[in-house]
Amino acid sequence: SSVGADKNVIEHGRTGLLVEHNDKQLWRKYLLELAIDRDKRGYIAEQAREHVTSGYLLKNRYRAWEQALTSLS
């Protein structure tokens, strides 16, 4: 759903599909597409996994903060 943090984390069509919470027709359309299209489902799943592991895992965030703080020294 295209609300809250989802809009900032999900890249529509690449790491997920964003739909306004009250757009039932678009929800149905995307759910049907994903149910039918294995390749699209797999692509979005893989891209989402890569996005989360590269940008949101604590160990990766720690490295980014460490580099940023070191550069201030």
Side-chain angles (χ1 to χ4, degrees), residues 19 22-30:
V19 181
N22 59 351
D23 191 339
K24 293 177 184 178
Q25 284 186 319
L26 200 52
W27 273 103
R28 276 192 286 266
K29 177 184 183 273
Y30 286 148

Side-chain angles (χ1 to χ4, degrees), residues 42-60:
Y43 171 78
I44 289 175
E46 184 58 37
Q47 294 299 308
R49 187 179 303 96
E50 174 64 29
H51 181 68
V52 169
T53 57
S54 67
Y56 294 95
L57 287 181
L58 183 57
K59 67 180 181 180
N60 294 335

Side-chain angles (χ1 to χ4, degrees), residues 11-33:
E11 183 182 328
H12 182 76
R14 185 175 152 276
T15 61
L17 298 169
L18 292 170
V19 181
E20 292 300 323
H21 72 281
N22 59 351
D23 191 339
K24 293 177 184 178
Q25 284 186 319
L26 200 52
W27 273 103
R28 276 192 286 266
K29 177 184 183 273
Y30 286 148
L31 287 172
L32 186 58
E33 279 181 21

